[in-house]
């Protein structure tokens, strides 16, 4: 896999010299791969990588054009299929990244739409969430809620006597995740009580509760694997 | 025992393999709905009884109050079970859209009740609008690609199909060498399988 990505990065570097990410020596594909891994491992939905997705889509378009051009000009089939393979892999990453996010939205529609997570979504994802919610509410309304006695018909609350919304599925933030540090974070407090302090050194693997390192993931100081 | 039928409904679901649907159990479902109504009637009549005795409904702690609480809690439990039943099924229905595409095979369709069929269609359109807004097809590429081309065997008569810029005749049992992205929709519908020697 690494060799094929190397092939892609070589070609893209020509047109992407302005790209800040390249100055750090990482390609957009690498960044997308990391975003995809994080999204896969995190129990809740992370911030949408808007600019990155845009760049990747442009690069995909460029690659597609290159491949088409090669085909027309009768470039060696092997070369073409190497480029095609590289293209397919990038496309897979992009599709899978978007898909995982939609599936998280499907799972926690209501929770996402009533919390800060709403701001993690792209514009299209927000529309998707609204529509999802509308359809799901209609479905549960017609099949169950409308047939229950008055006072028990809320989708958010068990009955009118509940003070908070106690019927909304939420992601389990307590789960353990595997993660890898990039740079040394130093002494890190795992919980509010301050009893549990871990020294996070650079480039090391940890298994920690997602809840504790949530902030580090957001600040991309740590990668989930 | 109160709430037993509702929990049986869920047990039936839990005993089934994950991600698989059981046929919609409308008998049990209707019975639980009826139970809810009965609990509600009992609850109302107990509350009325307390009120008729001119007791304060907030502070009274007599046998009628506790009776009412039991009916209230049983009703809530039934509601949670019914919602969980419907919601878990809806989650599976969502996943079917990703796994099988916009048309469900007959044997799965039979397991849904009519509202669920409706929901499947509705949810399908929600996913489709997202894909068209983003101008990307997310239903292909479900597994990481190895080779851009794969060898497939046609399992059912498909007929003439236009792929890319040329048309190809996909007759039953024939073998083809296709682009993976072209073949994937057929494979997910069970019309083709990957051919491994």
């Amino acid at each position: 896999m690494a060799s094929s990505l190397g092939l892609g990065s070589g070609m893209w570097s020509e047109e992407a010299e302005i790209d800040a990410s390249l100055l750090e020596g990482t390609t957009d594909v690498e960044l997308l791969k990391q975003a995809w891994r994080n999204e896969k491992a995190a129990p809740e939905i992370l911030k949408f990588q808007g600019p990155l997705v845009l760049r990747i889509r442009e690069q995909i378009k460029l690659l597609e054009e290159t491949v088409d051009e090669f085909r027309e000009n009768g470039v060696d089939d092997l070369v073409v299929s190497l480029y095609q393979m590289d293209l397919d892999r990038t496309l897979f990453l992009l599709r899978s990244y978007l898909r995982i996010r939609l599936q998280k939205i499907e799972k926690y529609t209501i929770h996402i739409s009533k919390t800060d997570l709403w701001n993690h979504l792209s514009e299209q994802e927000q529309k998707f969430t609204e529509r999802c919610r509308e359809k799901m509410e209609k479905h549960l309304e017609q099949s169950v809620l409308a047939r229950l006695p008055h006072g028990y018909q809320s989708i958010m609350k068990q009955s009118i006597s509940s003070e908070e919304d106690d019927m909304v599925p939420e992601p389990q933030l307590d789960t353990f995740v595997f993660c890898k540090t990039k740079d040394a974070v130093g002494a890190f407090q795992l919980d509010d009580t301050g009893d549990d302090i871990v020294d996070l050194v650079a480039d090391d693997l940890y298994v920690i509760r997602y809840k504790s390192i949530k902030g580090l993931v957001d600040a991309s100081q740590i990668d989930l694997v | 025992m109160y709430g037993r039928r509702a929990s049986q409904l869920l047990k039936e679901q839990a005993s089934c393999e994950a991600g698989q649907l059981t046929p919609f159990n409308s008998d049990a479902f209707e019975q639980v709905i009826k139970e809810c109504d009965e609990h509600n009637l009992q609850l109302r009549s107990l509350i009325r009884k307390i009120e008729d005795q001119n007791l304060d409904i907030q502070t009274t702690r007599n046998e009628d109050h506790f009776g009412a609480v039991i009916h209230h809690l049983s009703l809530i439990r039934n509601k949670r079970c019914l919602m969980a039943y419907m919601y878990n099924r809806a989650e599976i229905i969502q996943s079917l859209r990703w796994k099988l595409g916009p048309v469900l095979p007959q044997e799965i369709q039979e397991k849904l009740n009519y509202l669920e069929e409706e929901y499947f269609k509705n949810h399908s359109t929600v996913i489709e609008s997202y894909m068209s807004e983003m101008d990307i097809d997310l239903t292909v590429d479900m597994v990481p690609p190895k080779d851009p081309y794969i060898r497939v065997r046609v399992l059912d008569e498909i007929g003439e199909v236009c792929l890319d810029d040329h048309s190809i005749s996909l007759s039953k049992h024939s073998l083809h060498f296709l682009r993976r992205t072209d073949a994937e929709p057929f494979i997910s519908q069970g019309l083709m399988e990957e051919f491994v020697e």
Side-chain angles (χ1 to χ4, degrees), chain B residues 37-52:
Chain B
D37 287 335
E38 275 158 28
H39 282 306
N40 192 42
L41 281 178
Q42 300 268 6
L43 175 67
R44 300 280 148 217
S45 82
L46 285 171
I47 290 179
R48 219 172 304 123
K49 199 170 154 201
I50 298 174
E51 281 168 348
D52 287 348

Side-chain angles (χ1 to χ4, degrees), chain A residues 57 88 92 95 99 102-103 106-107 131-132 135 142-144 147-149 152 154 157-159, chain B residues 30 40 43 72 76 79-80 87 94 98 115 123 129 133-135 137-138 140-142 148:
Chain A
R57 298 202 70 168
D88 282 355
F92 167 75
R95 285 190 175 125
R99 200 156 45 213
L102 291 196
Q103 283 163 354
E106 283 178 340
K107 208 159 178 200
R131 292 182 189 135
C132 254
K135 304 295 181 204
Q142 288 179 333
S143 54
V144 185
R147 308 186 56 197
L148 293 179
Y152 297 88
S154 163
K157 297 187 169 111
Q158 300 188 6
S159 75
Chain B
E30 293 304 320
N40 192 42
L43 175 67
H72 170 71
I76 282 186
K79 173 185 177 177
R80 286 211 313 264
Y87 184 78
Q94 290 174 347
W98 293 106
L115 285 170
H123 191 69
S129 358
E133 277 163 24
M134 287 292 281
D135 190 25
D137 184 0
L138 295 183
V140 292
D141 257 344
M142 298 306 271

Side-chain angles (χ1 to χ4, degrees), chain A residues 14-203:
Chain A
E14 290 164 32
E15 49 96 32
E17 271 172 359
I18 21 151
D19 200 320
S21 65
L22 263 174
L23 296 176
E24 296 160 23
T26 28
T27 61
D28 282 340
V29 176
E30 282 301 325
L31 289 175
L32 179 64
K33 211 201 245 171
Q34 193 49 56
W36 171 71
R37 268 200 212 118
N38 283 350
E39 198 67 71
K40 255 183 111 134
E44 63 174 355
I45 197 158
L46 303 174
K47 272 203 193 83
F48 182 65
Q49 302 285 337
L52 176 63
V53 167
L54 225 64
R55 290 203 300 273
I56 286 284
R57 298 202 70 168
E58 250 160 54
Q59 288 164 12
I60 287 173
K61 224 163 86 194
L62 225 90
L63 248 167
E64 277 171 343
E65 281 165 19
T66 318
V67 170
D68 282 347
E69 219 171 275
F70 281 179
R71 283 226 171 87
E72 274 168 35
N73 299 343
V75 176
D76 190 354
D77 270 355
L78 180 66
V79 178
V80 177
S81 71
L82 282 178
Y83 274 96
Q84 183 71 46
M85 225 152 40
D86 195 34
L87 174 65
D88 282 355
R89 283 178 179 158
T90 317
L91 259 170
F92 167 75
L93 272 184
L94 177 65
R95 285 190 175 125
S96 182
Y97 172 70
L98 296 173
R99 200 156 45 213
I100 294 168
R101 293 181 59 85
L102 291 196
Q103 283 163 354
K104 275 188 193 169
I105 296 177
E106 283 178 340
K107 208 159 178 200
Y108 304 113
T109 320
I110 297 182
H111 175 70
I112 288 175
S113 58
K114 71 187 185 85
T115 55
D116 282 348
L117 291 175
W118 180 251
N119 301 320
H120 285 191
L121 308 184
S122 73
E123 194 190 313
Q124 291 86 350
E125 284 170 345
Q126 291 183 342
K127 274 194 216 156
F128 177 80
T129 314
E130 275 167 4
R131 292 182 189 135
C132 254
R133 180 172 176 168
E134 187 193 311
K135 304 295 181 204
M136 180 59 99
E137 282 181 353
K138 188 179 150 208
H139 177 56
L140 292 175
E141 198 81 43
Q142 288 179 333
S143 54
V144 185
L145 296 167
R147 308 186 56 197
L148 293 179
H150 184 72
Y152 297 88
Q153 294 179 337
S154 163
I155 192 168
M156 314 273 258
K157 297 187 169 111
Q158 300 188 6
S159 75
I160 34 171
S161 49
S162 316
E163 277 156 23
E164 288 168 35
D165 297 343
D166 49 9
M167 286 281 288
V168 181
E170 289 175 14
Q172 187 63 262
L173 301 184
D174 273 347
T175 60
F176 284 92
V177 289
F178 285 85
C179 53
K180 195 173 178 201
T181 43
K182 291 183 192 165
D183 308 309
V185 176
F188 186 73
Q189 200 176 315
L190 287 184
D191 54 8
D192 298 333
T193 55
D195 299 337
D196 243 338
I197 292 179
V198 177
D199 187 24
L200 298 178
V201 295
D203 226 12

